[in-house]
Amino acid sequence: MSDSDWVLLGVALLAGITGTWSPCGLSTIETLRVGGVHGRGRLTAVGTSLAFALGALAGALTTFGVLALLGALVRSPHSATGPAIALVIAAGAAVLEATGTRIVPQVRRQVPEPWRRQLPVTLAATIYGALLGLGFTTFVMTFAVWALAGITVALGEPHVGLLVGIGFGIGRAVPVIVLAPLADLRVGERVLSSMIERPAILRGLRLADAAALAACVLALAGPARAASVYRGKTDPSAAPGELAWQQLGAGGFVSIGGRVQSLPGENPALGGGLIAWRSGSAITIADGLSLAPKLTVSAPGADQLALSSHWLVYRAPPARDSRYRIFAVRLQPLGSPTEVASARAPTVLGRPALDGDTLVFHAAGRESRIVAINLANGRKSVLRSAVIGQLLNPSIAAGRLLYVRVDDCRQQLLVGPLSAAGHHDRVLAARSTQVPRDGGYQPGAIREGRTPHHCIGPRAGSYHSVFSYWTTALSGSNAFLTVLKTSRGKSSGRLVTVSLH
């Protein structure tokens, strides 16, 4: 989950809690209390409260799930306007909440009061929960509810609808299921009296909603402020104050202190105060500032490089034996190339990345893995793995791992702790996966083996333009990502930088 996902979950939770101060919320507490309309006992009151909670959760998931699907259907999968619209909605609602503006438009409707006398109490509790969970079938007590609806549509992400629905449903349910069993006790009576007699409590909750919406603005604005795009640059390699890349059709380049220089070779790599580039079957290692050559290593077939102060690593794609190989060369003292990893096609070994003695690369076959090798002792470990989807082109720096995840529906750039198993990884950028699909409508086409398009929203990709997340680099507070574009048989690329803060 990204920072904005967590913030939206919090906004939804607070908005649901604030709704308890509506006539409907207070009426529901009165209906479900121990005495209740039918004179129930405390155990029965707890059961009906849980039924109310399930109804509230179902109603909230229905509302915000449908809104998210609607947004996915009307929003272009590559448009940047969705987050911008969501940001404006959150900012406007935050101002309205902070100033205590009267809720407009207002739904002046309550839950049907006769149901609590005519229906079995558990059924009535479930329906009341569903009506309150739906959000817009009864009184709206905070602009955050309207804002969440607009944000969910603007973002058009199904997982956002799920998170907002869960948060709002829980927020609606918790105050009711806590207070209903206590309503006949002195403490419960005091709480309910305070809710009715002290408007300052509702005002405080609305201020909390305003603060949460303001945090949502910051979370939505952060990635938009941090991203920069450089056309024609691919395959980045980064070090503090330096960036090297491959310029399509023009070879390698490096930026040192803001000064760009061309290199006499391709596939540049930075690390340990050094820079390396490939020219034919030779790899040159030079000083990172002056670019004065220091070493030359023979590496027939090398196509991707990684560098640290002690190691040069390069990948050699399949030649005659259909095997990918990764070689490591110790620099101090200079050693011979040693094979440290290999795989037979169709398994592909990806571009290597180094940080000190730690080498990482992806191995993509029937299962996709990000593999780490300690070059000092030879110890291997799997940092991430996936059976569905692919994990591609990792980079490491200062104990952090940056990589690309791709499945049938989405491409994501993620960053997380090097030692974790992916549970704490954060999404830095995302877009739809653009894989053109054969519709199978041509004469003679068969249905065997064809899977339906199951992604939410417009079909991602076309036969004219395909965008793909590819190689990465990581340095300091910045992440770098190559985005490849294939359009009408022609390829181009661009380098995107994203701040980690």
Side-chain angles (χ1 to χ4, degrees):
M1 287 174 55
S2 66
D3 292 343
S4 59
D5 290 340
W6 285 110
V7 173
L8 283 170
L9 181 63
V11 174
L13 184 65
L14 282 171
I17 292 172
T18 305
T20 308
W21 270 251
S22 68
C24 301
L26 296 171
S27 175
T28 301
I29 293 173
E30 173 65 20
T31 300
L32 303 182
R33 67 185 177 87
V34 174
V37 176
H38 300 286
R40 300 177 307 281
R42 191 169 305 280
L43 184 60
T44 305
V46 172
T48 54
S49 297
L50 292 176
F52 170 85
L54 292 175
L57 192 59
L61 287 171
T62 299
T63 291
F64 293 101
V66 169
L67 290 173
L69 292 176
L70 176 63
L73 291 172
V74 301
R75 185 181 67 89
S76 168
H78 315 298
S79 172
T81 58
I85 294 172
L87 187 151
V88 171
I89 292 172
V95 172
L96 294 173
E97 284 294 273
T99 55
T101 304
R102 187 176 180 181
I103 308 296
V104 176
Q106 179 61 271
V107 180
R108 298 189 177 278
R109 186 181 300 113
Q110 297 189 48
V111 293
E113 191 273 339
W115 287 358
R116 64 177 184 166
R117 295 190 302 271
Q118 299 170 355
L119 299 176
V121 65
T122 302
L123 177 60
T126 304
I127 298 175
Y128 283 171
L131 290 175
L132 292 179
L134 288 170
F136 302 102
T137 54
T138 60
F139 275 84
V140 177
M141 302 304 295
T142 171
F143 280 108
V145 178
W146 292 108
L148 287 168
I151 291 169
T152 302
V153 173
L155 295 179
E157 297 285 356
H159 80 278
V160 170
L162 178 65
L163 287 174
V164 172
I166 290 173
F168 188 74
I170 292 174
R172 274 295 212 186
V174 167
V176 173
I177 64 177
V178 169
L179 292 175
L182 303 177
D184 284 353
L185 303 178
R186 181 167 298 180
V187 62
E189 292 176 352
R190 290 177 178 175
V191 172
L192 291 174
S193 296
S194 297
M195 291 174 65
I196 297 169
E197 299 170 2
R198 298 184 181 180
I201 298 177
L202 177 58
R203 177 70 182 127
L205 284 170
R206 291 190 64 184
L207 288 174
D209 292 338
L213 287 165
C216 185
V217 171
L218 295 177
L220 291 169
R225 287 199 307 267
S228 302
V229 178
Y230 303 94
R231 298 188 182 279
K233 299 179 180 180
T234 63
D235 296 343
S237 179
E242 300 179 63
L243 177 66
W245 65 90
Q246 179 76 9
Q247 191 82 21
L248 292 177
F253 285 79
V254 63
S255 174
I256 304 172
R259 184 168 60 95
V260 176
Q261 301 180 64
S262 63
L263 299 171
E266 300 180 323
N267 309 114
L270 293 165
L274 303 171
I275 184 170
W277 60 81
R278 180 184 63 83
S279 181
S281 62
I283 298 174
T284 300
I285 300 172
D287 181 79
L289 294 177
S290 66
L291 304 186
K294 290 187 170 187
L295 298 170
T296 300
V297 176
S298 177
D303 70 342
Q304 295 289 353
L305 315 180
L307 189 64
S308 71
S309 58
H310 300 295
W311 298 94
L312 167 70
V313 173
Y314 62 90
R315 184 189 71 167
R320 296 179 179 177
D321 60 355
S322 301
R323 296 190 74 88
Y324 283 88
R325 289 182 168 87
I326 293 179
F327 295 89
V329 180
R330 185 182 291 275
L331 299 181
Q332 297 177 356
L334 182 63
S336 301
T338 301
E339 182 180 304
V340 294
S342 68
R344 186 178 297 277
T347 298
V348 175
L349 300 186
R351 185 190 190 210
L354 273 172
D355 187 23
D357 293 327
T358 304
L359 163 68
V360 296
F361 56 91
H362 77 249
R366 297 184 66 179
E367 179 186 12
S368 182
R369 296 171 293 139
I370 294 178
V371 180
I373 300 178
N374 187 317
L375 296 177
N377 57 28
R379 184 176 302 165
K380 296 184 180 182
S381 60
V382 176
L383 302 179
R384 305 288 191 276
S385 64
V387 177
I388 299 176
Q390 291 190 321
L391 311 180
L392 305 173
N393 295 312
S395 298
I396 53 173
R400 289 186 291 195
L401 174 70
L402 179 75
Y403 64 99
V404 169
R405 180 184 177 93
V406 181
D407 59 26
D408 285 349
C409 299
R410 296 179 61 79
Q411 306 177 83
Q412 295 176 313
L413 177 67
L414 299 108
V415 66
L418 189 62
S419 59
H423 305 299
H424 304 289
D425 294 349
R426 180 162 52 101
V427 178
L428 298 179
R431 74 185 307 157
S432 298
T433 299
Q434 294 187 276
V435 180
R437 294 171 180 261
D438 184 351
Y441 302 119
Q442 292 81 4
I446 60 174
R447 301 189 63 85
E448 182 179 356
R450 179 160 18 114
T451 58
H453 183 77
H454 61 277
C455 302
I456 300 299
R459 286 181 62 124
S462 68
Y463 290 99
H464 304 295
S465 232
V466 175
F467 293 86
S468 303
Y469 284 4
W470 195 231
T471 50
T472 69
L474 184 61
S475 177
S477 60
N478 291 315
F480 303 87
L481 170 68
T482 298
V483 179
L484 299 178
K485 177 184 178 182
T486 303
S487 180
R488 301 184 185 277
K490 296 181 180 180
S491 297
S492 62
R494 59 187 181 184
L495 185 61
V496 178
T497 68
V498 182
S499 173
L500 299 178
H501 300 310

